[in-house]
Amino acid sequence: LISINWLVDTDSVRIADHITLSQQYVIHGDSIWTADYTTEKRETVPYIQERISRNGPKWGPNVEVTVVAKVVDLSDGSEYYLRRDHQTIERTD
């Protein structure tokens, strides 16, 4: 499983440098894949932060999971969790 997460400012405002996606949790039934993001970074627009996780379990394709992304404010250490239900694992060839 490879997972790509996007943190998007819906007002198209630049995401501050001290806000970062730091970890993700992918939940499938009673199983949870906890992963740190890789250091890979593809170029995006300033209001989108993209992070990638690799080497996950062999779930899918066509399986629904819940994805939780941990967001950290590095200026004060605050942690926030964003959740997306009903995310489909697709096959890419």
Side-chain angles (χ1 to χ4, degrees):
L1 180 62
I2 297 171
S3 177
I4 301 174
N5 294 167
W6 294 282
L7 179 63
V8 180
D9 185 300
T10 57
D11 293 326
S12 300
V13 175
R14 176 182 172 77
I15 297 174
D17 291 337
H18 60 91
I19 302 296
T20 187
L21 285 165
S22 69
Q23 195 171 40
Q24 73 157 0
Y25 310 88
V26 181
I27 304 163
H28 175 53
D30 292 336
S31 300
I32 300 175
W33 172 41
T34 302
D36 293 322
Y37 295 107
T38 67
T39 57
E40 298 172 72
K41 290 192 178 182
R42 297 188 295 188
E43 191 166 327
T44 61
V45 293
Y47 59 88
I48 297 176
Q49 187 179 118
E50 178 185 88
R51 300 300 302 266
I52 301 169
S53 295
R54 296 184 177 274
N55 302 315
K58 305 272 190 243
W59 296 334
N62 302 317
V63 171
E64 281 195 358
V65 296
T66 296
V67 178
V68 178
K70 180 178 174 183
V71 179
V72 176
D73 182 337
L74 299 173
S75 69
D76 64 6
S78 298
E79 297 177 352
Y80 305 90
Y81 295 86
L82 303 174
R83 176 180 170 157
R84 291 291 307 253
D85 295 317
H86 309 293
Q87 300 301 298
T88 302
I89 296 175
E90 297 176 354
R91 181 183 176 114
T92 58
D93 294 318

